């Protein structure tokens, strides 16, 4: 087995993301007896270190005023200086992980696997990883040669949080070894997402449309159904990219996190970025013309149908009641 | 501004239902409709808009088999000035790093101020842009959904982060950016546009032309190798409603009432 396993801890306002404990479980799935350490990088990170210290053997921290905003270009430079060459580094596959990790693997001359959803064991220097392609339509086994180390982006939510807190580690301050972090990309500010005319995060019933709606003119089919149901229309990302609906109606990791009681997914395939915005265990009805669409794996009830035909029928039947 | 955009030919998921083939060695390729990767198309549109604003040129490059020429040509019909195809049997089976090292060789054959990739492609890895930047030792920003010119030394870029918030950065040129969908509205490419570029010569570079050792790329150089495709067993999945449309509608309305979905 190659070197140590590290987990990169993402946090916000001093609170670690859910991925902080998911990566403990992910590391144990790679090697049950591995020594797993955490990396906590930022400015004023003691609270975060204390939160995770019982779950990791060691917590390596880099604490620097220059990292008040987590600029991946700067953090990459620091990590190259502190990480052992042959380690396995696990990073959440989120907008920061996508920014940091591929380049880091090049600089460390180690292998890179993106968006791992599971591990199927380590044999010698070969780690078998499970991932998905085509928006989750198919799954693959991937062999990764970890002999010179590996950087692996792990999909948030794909491992259960390991709450055992059984590692009882210590915090090690690595700030002095971080070196020069000056980078060609400088953070300026964060612009908050626009607020729209409706707040889909407060709605109990959402009629959500995806690329299956096919044309802007067809959106009124969803509007009519939502009106009949007393619901509100939300959508997947391609509908917003096409400028058919406002960004504030987008459900997903780069949109809104909603907690409805009932969610009608109409012509939505069920990508993890979309489902990442659907919380609170709603009753999910999926309507899709492809019986193998991934959305049917997570839905409670499925209907194989063309939404352009089915939704108007449903609207009429509800209106007649 | 001299701009290079990296594009990939992929099965069009909006036009096809992607399935595993009978022996799990690949996806079912019969009757697949291919197109340019959605993210890349936004990248090309952005490059063309920048060129229209500040001058310069747009070159499109693709790593792939001969068929990839069609997507390079399509992006030229959109308005890119030049196209390059990187193609060689030795490139087959390349992992992300292999593809990035081929693109690096192509970058070094030219002189570019700005290199764009799509944020991700059909394999959802989101890796090639970041790897390419690291290999070239250039600054990088991923998931870019806004580009503003400042001067010929630097530009301002917005990155899309969680919740649809936008992280604004200043970045030095030359740099590598991966482009997120929605940054612009890619123009339509008509038959006439395609016809205009139908006979344009698109140079093809192999391993020798690029000066890369054949065993450093392709299957031979890959540390990450796909073994198979499969459909996982994922618990029960949805209860599928069956019957005539009226029957399904009736059942669904009962369920919606029970779950509080009808007001
Ligand atoms: C960093 C990043 C962040 C992202 N954030 C988000 C996000 O916040 N939210 C989000 O949604 N996506 C997000 N995405 C995009 C995501 O990966 C998917 O591309 C997107 O969710 C797909 O949307 P869709 O399901 O509507 O479209 P598709 O995947 O194209 O699915 C369309 C579905 O409709 C079905 N269909 C087609 N026609 C019909 C019809 N007539 N009747 C019935 N069914 C039909 C098809 O069978 C298919 O299953 C993000 C991607 C990245 C890289």
């Amino acid at each position: 087995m190659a070197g140590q396993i590290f987990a990169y801890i993402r946090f916000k306002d001093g609170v670690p993301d859910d991925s902080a404990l998911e990566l403990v479980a992910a590391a144990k799935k790679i090697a049950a007896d591995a020594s797993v350490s955490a990396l906590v990088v930022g400015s004023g990170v003691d609270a975060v270190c204390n939160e995770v210290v019982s779950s990791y053997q060691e917590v390596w921290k880099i604490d620097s005023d220059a990292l008040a905003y987590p600029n991946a270009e700067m953090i990459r430079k620091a990590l190259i200086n502190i990480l052992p060459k042959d380690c396995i580094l696990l990073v959440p596959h989120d907008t920061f992980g996508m920014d940091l990790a591929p380049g880091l693997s090049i600089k460390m001359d180690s292998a890179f696997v993106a968006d791992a959803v599971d591990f199927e064991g380590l044999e010698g220097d070969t780690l078998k990883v499970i991932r998905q392609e085509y928006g989750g339509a198919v799954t693959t086994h991937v062999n990764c040669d970890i002999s010179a180390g590996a950087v692996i982006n792990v999909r948030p939510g794909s491992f259960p949080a390991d709450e055992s807190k059984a590692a009882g580690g210590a915090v090690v301050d690595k700030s002095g070894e971080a070196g020069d972090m000056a980078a060609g990309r400088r953070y300026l500010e964060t612009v908050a997402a626009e607020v729209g005319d409706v707040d889909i995060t407060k709605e109990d019933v959402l009629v959500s449309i995806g690329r299956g709606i096919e044309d802007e003119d067809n959106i009124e089919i969803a509007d009519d159904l939502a009106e009949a149901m007393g619901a509100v229309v939300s959508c997947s990302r391609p509908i917003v990219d096409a400028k058919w609906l406002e960004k504030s109606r987008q459900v997903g990791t780069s949109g809104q996190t909603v907690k409805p009681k009932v969610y009608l997914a109409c012509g939505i395939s069920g990508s993890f970025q979309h489902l990442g915005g659907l919380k609170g265990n709603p009753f999910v009805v999926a309507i899709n013309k492809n019986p193998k669409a991934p959305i049917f794996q997570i839905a409670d009830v499925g209907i194989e149908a063309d939404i352009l035909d089915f939704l108007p029928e449903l609207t009429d039947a509800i209106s007649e009641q | 501004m001299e701009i290079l955009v990296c594009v990939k030919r992929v099965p069009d998921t909006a036009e096809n239902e992607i399935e595993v083939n009978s022996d799990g060695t690949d996806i079912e390729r019969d009757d697949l409709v291919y197109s340019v990767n959605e993210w890349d198309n936004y990248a090309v549109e952005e490059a063309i808009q920048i060129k229209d604003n500040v001058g310069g040129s747009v070159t499109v490059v693709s790593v792939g088999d001969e068929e990839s020429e069609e997507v390079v040509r399509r992006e030229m019909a959109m308005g890119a000035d030049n196209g390059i195809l990187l193609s060689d049997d030795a490139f087959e089976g390349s992992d992300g790093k292999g593809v990035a090292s081929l693109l690096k060789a192509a970058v070094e054959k030219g002189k570019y101020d700005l290199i764009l990739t799509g944020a991700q492609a059909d394999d959802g890895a989101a890796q090639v842009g970041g790897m390419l930047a690291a290999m070239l030792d250039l600054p990088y920003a991923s998931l870019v959904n806004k580009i503003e010119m400042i001067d010929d030394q630097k530009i301002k870029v917005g990155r899309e982060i969680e919740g649809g918030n936008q992280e604004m950065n200043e970045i030095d040129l030359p740099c590598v950016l991966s482009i997120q969908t929605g940054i612009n509205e890619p123009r339509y490419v008509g038959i006439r546009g395609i016809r205009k570029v139908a006979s344009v010569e698109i140079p093809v570079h192999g391993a020798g032309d690029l000066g890369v050792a054949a065993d450093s790329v392709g299957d031979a150089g890959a540390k990450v190798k796909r073994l198979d495709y499969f459909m996982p067993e994922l618990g029960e999945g949805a209860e599928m409603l069956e019957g005539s449309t009226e029957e399904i509608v009736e059942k669904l309305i009962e369920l919606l009432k029970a779950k509080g979905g009808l007001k």
Side-chain angles (χ1 to χ4, degrees), chain A residues 69 95 99 191 237 241, chain B residues 142 159-160 162 166-167 181:
Chain A
Y69 187 86
T95 63
D99 213 32
V191 181
R237 178 171 184 118
D241 287 340
Chain B
S142 63
R159 292 187 61 235
E160 185 185 79
E162 273 70 27
Q166 190 182 40
E167 174 196 300
T181 56

Side-chain angles (χ1 to χ4, degrees), chain B residues 63-109:
Chain B
V63 179
D65 54 17
E66 305 98 71
E67 314 243 32
S68 295
E69 198 200 275
E70 98 196 2
V71 304
V72 173
R73 207 172 286 284
R74 186 198 175 279
E75 301 307 287
M76 291 180 71
M78 238 173 126
D81 305 277
N82 314 299
I84 306 170
L85 181 60
L86 311 183
S87 193
D88 196 315
D89 290 345
F91 300 168
E92 217 165 292
S94 290
D95 59 6
K97 187 176 175 185
V99 172
S101 60
L102 293 168
L103 292 169
K104 171 183 184 258
V107 170
E108 286 172 342
K109 280 174 91 73

Side-chain angles (χ1 to χ4, degrees), chain B residues 68-250:
Chain B
S68 295
E69 198 200 275
E70 98 196 2
V71 304
V72 173
R73 207 172 286 284
R74 186 198 175 279
E75 301 307 287
M76 291 180 71
M78 238 173 126
D81 305 277
N82 314 299
I84 306 170
L85 181 60
L86 311 183
S87 193
D88 196 315
D89 290 345
F91 300 168
E92 217 165 292
S94 290
D95 59 6
K97 187 176 175 185
V99 172
S101 60
L102 293 168
L103 292 169
K104 171 183 184 258
V107 170
E108 286 172 342
K109 280 174 91 73
K111 196 174 178 331
Y112 302 100
D113 306 300
L114 186 59
I115 298 147
L116 306 182
T117 68
Q120 63 174 34
D122 50 349
D123 54 5
Q127 61 189 356
V128 168
M131 289 179 166
L132 178 60
M135 288 176 181
L136 293 164
D137 247 323
L138 293 178
Y140 175 62
S142 63
L143 298 163
V144 169
N145 65 356
K146 189 185 187 99
I147 300 179
E148 275 174 32
M149 296 297 125
I150 301 179
D151 54 40
D152 51 12
Q153 306 291 316
K154 54 191 182 300
I155 56 177
K156 199 167 163 181
V157 299
R159 292 187 61 235
E160 185 185 79
I161 54 172
E162 273 70 27
N165 299 323
Q166 190 182 40
E167 174 196 300
M168 298 305 301
N169 297 270
E170 188 181 88
I171 189 165
D172 296 338
L173 295 172
C175 67
V176 181
L177 308 177
S178 88
I179 302 296
Q180 176 62 308
T181 56
I183 184 173
N184 52 41
E185 291 178 68
R187 68 198 64 192
Y188 174 77
V189 179
I191 296 288
R192 212 188 292 158
I194 302 269
R195 256 191 227 132
K196 258 199 201 153
V197 295
S199 55
V200 175
E201 189 75 25
I202 294 177
V204 182
H205 298 316
D209 309 306
L210 293 172
V212 297
D215 61 358
S216 70
V217 293
D219 196 53
K223 282 188 172 180
V224 178
K225 295 183 187 189
R226 189 196 303 107
L227 302 174
D228 62 3
Y229 286 89
F230 67 104
M231 294 298 287
E233 297 292 333
L234 282 177
E236 286 181 27
E239 175 203 340
M240 299 301 286
L241 300 185
E242 316 274 353
S244 68
T245 304
E246 289 94 88
E247 286 163 353
I248 292 175
V249 164
E250 202 178 308

Side-chain angles (χ1 to χ4, degrees), chain A residues 98 210-212 214 236-238 250-255 267-269 271 273-274 288-290 293 305-307, chain B residues 39 120 143 180:
Chain A
M98 291 183 200
R211 184 137 44 200
E214 287 174 17
S236 68
R237 178 171 184 118
Q250 179 188 318
V251 174
T253 54
S254 62
I268 291 177
S269 63
S271 70
Q273 286 108 345
H274 183 75
N288 198 300
K289 68 178 182 189
N290 175 8
D306 186 324
I307 55 170
Chain B
W39 281 266
Q120 63 174 34
L143 298 163
Q180 176 62 308

